[in-house]
Amino acid sequence: LMLALAVAAVAGADIRAVTPVPQNADTNSWWMKRHAQKLERVKAGGSRVVFIGDSITHFWEGNGRVQWEKYFAGAPYHALNLGYSADRTEHVLWRLDHGELDGYEAKAVVLMIGTNNTGHWPFEKEPPADTIIGVRAGLDKIRAKQPSAKIVLCPIFIFPRGATPQDSCRVRNDVVNREIRKFADGKAVLWCDFTARFLALALDELDALHAENGDKDIDSDLFLERMPAKAPSVTDKTFNFYFQSMPAPDHASMMACQKRLDHLAKPLY
């Protein structure tokens, strides 16, 4: 109850990241058509593993199709791909409110969402704290819809969004990842981080956001290795990373971020 009230409190403040909304409400848009197609797959049943995310997940159906068919599509996973290109946390929340996890029982749900929250909006319109709360709201929604499933939580971004470690999107993503990993308890929520595998690749050979076909092999191998995975013990408070690494917005804005983070109760489950 405390957790629900905490998220409800920040949602009441009109924080975009926790306000469910479709990416495109036009019934003729590709987004709504995809949602309708996925609901048909949901009705068919049988999915044991569900992947929820943005284009990084969506593209398993494109340039990662071979690996998807090889590792996940068939038994024992019968995986369901609920990735939608350009989705943010608020879009995932809308989709989960509209049937994508209803009427079946999954064994595991993999969540990777948030890089478009930081990539589509400047810091002033969506500080990292909002993205953190958005990811948290997604976890809560998954748990409510699929209470028996293990949740595999991934960093919001596994490919280098930006060419240097100082890139503003990469810094913001690092801040978010340092906090959301604390939501994993190693039991109900597992942390699966294979970012280093991709950062080790030469940037001139890798799209700064999406993997090519061969790199999807790394992706699928890591999921298989880390399901289930034991979450690391993370007890340090890392909010001061904002002050150490980011080009500083004003101090009041930083304190507003801190206040929002302090709404979050521990432990998660």
Side-chain angles (χ1 to χ4, degrees), residues 4-25:
L5 290 174
V7 173
V10 293
D14 294 323
I15 295 174
R16 181 189 301 104
V18 294
T19 304
V21 63
Q23 186 188 130
N24 189 332

Side-chain angles (χ1 to χ4, degrees), residues 19-72:
T19 304
V21 63
Q23 186 188 130
N24 189 332
D26 183 349
T27 55
N28 291 317
S29 68
W30 73 264
W31 196 89
M32 289 299 289
K33 288 180 179 179
R34 180 172 175 81
H35 175 61
Q37 291 168 354
K38 294 302 179 182
L39 290 183
E40 290 301 314
R41 171 67 189 278
V42 165
K43 290 177 184 177
S47 297
R48 304 291 280 168
V49 176
V50 181
F51 289 77
I52 298 173
D54 46 44
S55 58
I56 297 171
T57 302
H58 189 165
F59 287 2
W60 283 99
E61 295 179 352
N63 59 0
R65 180 180 294 276
V66 172
Q67 289 80 10
W68 180 266
E69 295 294 331
K70 177 180 178 181
Y71 293 110
F72 300 120

